[in-house]
Each structure stands twice: as structure tokens, then as C-alpha cells.
Amino acid sequence: MPTHQVTARKPKDRILFKNLLKEAQECLVTRGMRPAEAKNFLAPALKLLKDSLFWEYQGNGLALFLSSSFFEYFISPSGFDQKVSVSNRFYLKSLLPALYKGEHFFLLALSKKEVKLFRLTRSKIMDVLVEGIPQGSSRRSSQKQLQFHTGTQQGKGRRAALFHGHGAGSEDAKASLVQYCRQIDSAVGGLLADETAPMMVTGLDYLVSTYRQANTYPYLVDDSMSGNPYSYTRDDLHRTASIVMEPYLMRWREEALMRFRRASEEGRVCKDIAPLLQAAEGGRIEILLVSLSAELFIRHDLESGRVDLHTQYQEGDVDVLDEAVVRTVLNGGEVYGIEEDEMPEHLPLAALIRDNQNTAVS
């Protein structure tokens, strides 16, 4: 379900959560549980409904997974469409946008007085809490502000630090600034150790240049936004950063689609449901393209290859797209959620099959 960080919207989130739990309870009763049994089954989730502290600290999405022996919830910076699924397995397709590259990026806003890290999607800008990040260096810059512009690093080497006219002329000031940037990098790099999303820096030119020297995050992009980031609104930061980062966000998917097209010419693309699921189970899918809006249900026997497809759920069915996503991810394949009109031949899903020599065994 979608959630909100804005205080005024939080009561509506709790009401939506209550309604979704009611829908889940009705589904459980429809599938044979007694009303009291279904309510008891949902007790861990119902307890959250009354937890004011839980609702005070929400992101943009909430995912909850519950069975008779398992209960976990995840507060996500990515928003979700509301959905209830009652089945013999967890429904994971809604999490797909958070799994594949190109869905979000980071923006590090630098100044001599304040440092902030933001996580941006195409529609939102969110603060990221970074423990241990320094807030202000020992010396202050006399430079007030510059206009936003983007600049690309030339060549393969890192930019040299620029100090001219920025109140950082002495060697002590330079050393202090380098140490400041190293502390920032240590805090940010530790938090993003498992990330592969691109990050861009915004700040006055001499700060950005010095930070580039200290940076160890491997996905820092060459482009930057120059100027005092704290003289602009969050909306301005989001809009400008998104324009600059669009080529980087699209690059991952475009590269995947290019590989997909080449593989199609080589006859390595699978579009039929039964062999595609078998390939996913065997770890032979290199890239899986999935329609974000399509729904397709299946009752299948992997050994015989028999498949019964339904566009509406029937008892005992499995969501085909969800099944393919989970199997592909668990076996090391890449998964990309694609809008329906961008899918090859407008299919609900299609897969690039690995070469025999690269077939994964699991």
C-alpha cells in the first residue's frame, strides 16, 4: 500500500490499512477460514493498526507479508499501488521497481555548513538519514551562491580541486576541506555499500571538486549541479537533478533492451510461458522483461510441461509474472519492469536465455 511522510496524510494511511486488512479477512473467509480464525490469523497486522509510533515513521510504501509461521513488514522509500493477495505463497511482483537498476538515484548536497543525502525517484525526493555525517566544516566559505548548471568531467582522471576565489586559499584551509570531504565520503560510502544506484553531487564548484577527490562510491556520476543547494526548494532540486540524471537512469534499461534485441536475432529469446518458467527454475534466464500492468495466472506441471492459463484468478492458480520474477531473481538473473506498450510484441513477459556455457546451476 502507499504511505505518506506528511503528517496530515497519516490518518488516511491507517484507514486504508484497516480497509485492506478487512479485505484480506474476507478473502480468508471465502477460502474456508471461520471469521474468528481469520481474525486471529491477522492478529500481528491488526496490532500494527493500533501502533501510533509505527505510523509516525513511514516512508512512501508499506509491504507486509504474513503467514501462519511468518510475519515481516518493510517500510519502503518507493511507493506502491494498493493490493491484497491471499494465496499459498507471497506476492512479490509489486516490489519489482525496487529491485532493478534505474529506478532511483542519490543526490548529495554539499555546503560548508550542512550536508544532506537525498534518494530520488521520478516522482519523489526523500531524505536519507546518514549516521556520522559531519555537519559543517571548521572554516566557512565566503562564496555565497552560484546558479545551477551541469558540468561533465573531462577525460578519465578526477578533477583537480578548485580553490580560487572561494575563501580557501591557505594550505590549512585546503587540508581541512579535504578532511571534511573524507568524513562525508566515509559516512555516505558506509551507508551505500550495497547500493548500485548512481549518485550525483551538488554544491559550489570547489566543494564538488574536493569531494570527487575523496569519493570512494563507485557509482558517482561525472555530471554535477553547481551552486548552493540550500538556496533552492526541494522541488527545484528534484526537477533539476532528474533532468541531469535522466540519461543515467535510462542507460541501464536501454543497455538491457539492446542486449535483448541482439539475443532475439540470435534466437535466444523465449516468449512461451511453460519453457520460460522452466528456464527460470533452471537458472537459465539472463534478462527477464515483465509488464508492470499485466496479470496472468497459471496452473502448471513443470515435469509434464502442461499449462492452463487464466486471465482471472482461480483456486490453485499461481501468478505467472510473479513466479517468473521470483525464480529469475533467486537464480541471479536481471529483471526489468516495463510498461505494457514497451514490451516486445506487447507480451506480458519475455526472457533472454543464457548461452549454454553461461548457464547457472543452483
Side-chain angles (χ1 to χ4, degrees):
M1 59 170 282
T3 52
H4 301 86
Q5 299 180 54
V6 180
T7 302
R9 299 295 301 273
K10 293 182 186 295
K12 296 182 179 180
D13 291 347
R14 294 176 81 164
I15 292 172
L16 175 59
F17 186 65
K18 181 178 181 179
N19 291 337
L20 294 178
L21 289 180
K22 182 179 179 181
E23 182 181 342
Q25 184 171 346
E26 291 172 350
C27 289
L28 290 168
V29 171
T30 300
R31 289 168 177 258
M33 279 192 183
R34 296 187 299 273
E37 185 182 7
K39 186 175 181 179
N40 184 61
F41 181 89
L42 293 171
L46 289 167
K47 188 179 295 185
L48 287 180
L49 186 61
K50 303 175 183 178
D51 188 341
S52 298
L53 190 61
F54 171 78
W55 292 103
E56 188 64 29
Y57 296 97
Q58 285 295 317
N60 294 296
L62 173 64
L64 186 148
F65 302 92
L66 175 64
S67 75
S68 58
S69 58
F70 181 89
F71 174 61
E72 289 284 354
Y73 64 82
F74 299 91
I75 295 171
S76 170
S78 300
F80 301 124
D81 294 329
Q82 66 186 61
K83 182 176 178 64
V84 173
S85 173
V86 177
S87 180
N88 61 351
R89 52 159 292 166
F90 291 132
Y91 178 82
L92 300 175
K93 182 189 163 193
S94 292
L95 302 181
L96 182 57
L99 290 178
Y100 72 95
K101 300 172 183 176
E103 182 66 18
H104 69 275
F105 67 95
F106 295 99
L107 178 67
L108 182 63
L110 300 176
S111 80
K112 296 290 288 295
K113 298 180 181 180
E114 188 176 8
V115 181
K116 282 188 176 182
L117 181 66
F118 300 100
R119 184 183 188 276
L120 292 83
T121 66
R122 298 181 191 281
S123 59
K124 298 180 184 297
I125 178 170
M126 296 152 279
D127 293 87
V128 178
L129 177 64
V130 185
E131 293 184 3
I133 197 166
Q135 293 298 332
S137 65
S138 58
R139 295 176 179 266
R140 294 185 177 180
S141 169
S142 61
Q143 181 73 15
K144 297 299 183 183
Q145 126 180 17
L146 296 175
Q147 294 298 312
F148 273 135
H149 68 268
T150 64
T152 302
Q153 181 178 358
Q154 300 298 319
K156 296 183 178 179
R158 289 178 173 169
R159 294 177 179 174
L162 303 176
F163 297 97
H164 306 292
H166 293 288
S170 72
E171 291 302 318
D172 286 346
K174 294 178 183 179
S176 176
L177 190 63
V178 170
Q179 180 63 20
Y180 179 52
C181 289
R182 285 176 178 169
Q183 291 173 344
I184 296 169
D185 172 70
S186 177
V188 172
L191 178 68
L192 303 183
D194 296 326
E195 277 282 349
T196 59
M199 183 176 76
M200 182 169 63
V201 180
T202 175
L204 299 179
D205 284 346
Y206 76 100
L207 269 173
V208 172
S209 298
T210 307
Y211 184 80
R212 286 189 180 279
Q213 290 184 318
N215 173 68
T216 58
Y217 184 63
Y219 303 101
L220 181 68
V221 303
D222 291 339
D223 284 305
S224 61
M225 298 194 314
S226 179
N228 179 2
Y230 299 102
S231 64
Y232 290 82
T233 67
R234 290 169 68 94
D235 287 344
D236 285 338
L237 278 176
H238 183 236
R239 180 172 55 255
T240 307
S242 295
I243 292 172
V244 178
M245 290 298 294
E246 184 66 18
Y248 293 96
L249 295 179
M250 295 300 293
R251 183 180 299 169
W252 300 103
R253 193 176 68 169
E254 289 304 316
E255 289 176 356
L257 291 174
M258 187 177 300
R259 286 160 57 195
F260 202 90
R261 287 190 288 268
R262 286 199 300 263
S264 181
E265 297 172 358
E266 298 168 0
R268 291 198 293 127
V269 167
C270 180
K271 304 172 185 177
D272 296 328
I273 300 300
L276 190 151
L277 289 175
Q278 289 177 324
E281 178 71 14
R284 293 185 291 113
I285 291 184
E286 182 177 335
I287 297 176
L288 179 70
L289 303 184
V290 179
S291 170
L292 289 172
S293 56
E295 285 195 331
L296 188 62
F297 302 96
I298 187 173
R299 193 173 304 159
H300 63 94
D301 184 333
L302 285 176
E303 292 184 3
S304 67
R306 179 179 175 181
V307 173
D308 293 323
L309 292 174
H310 312 128
T311 55
Q312 298 293 327
Y313 177 83
Q314 298 182 21
E315 186 65 33
D317 281 358
V318 172
D319 186 304
V320 174
L321 279 63
D322 193 56
E323 182 86 352
V325 166
V326 171
R327 291 183 180 185
T328 300
V329 170
L330 289 178
N331 284 295
E334 300 176 37
V335 181
Y336 294 86
I338 306 293
E339 296 299 331
E340 190 172 7
D341 59 356
E342 296 181 273
M343 285 291 295
E345 303 175 29
H346 300 290
L347 292 166
L349 75 170
L352 186 163
I353 306 300
R354 287 190 173 105
D355 288 329
N356 289 334
Q357 63 266 31
N358 294 325
T359 298
V361 178
S362 60

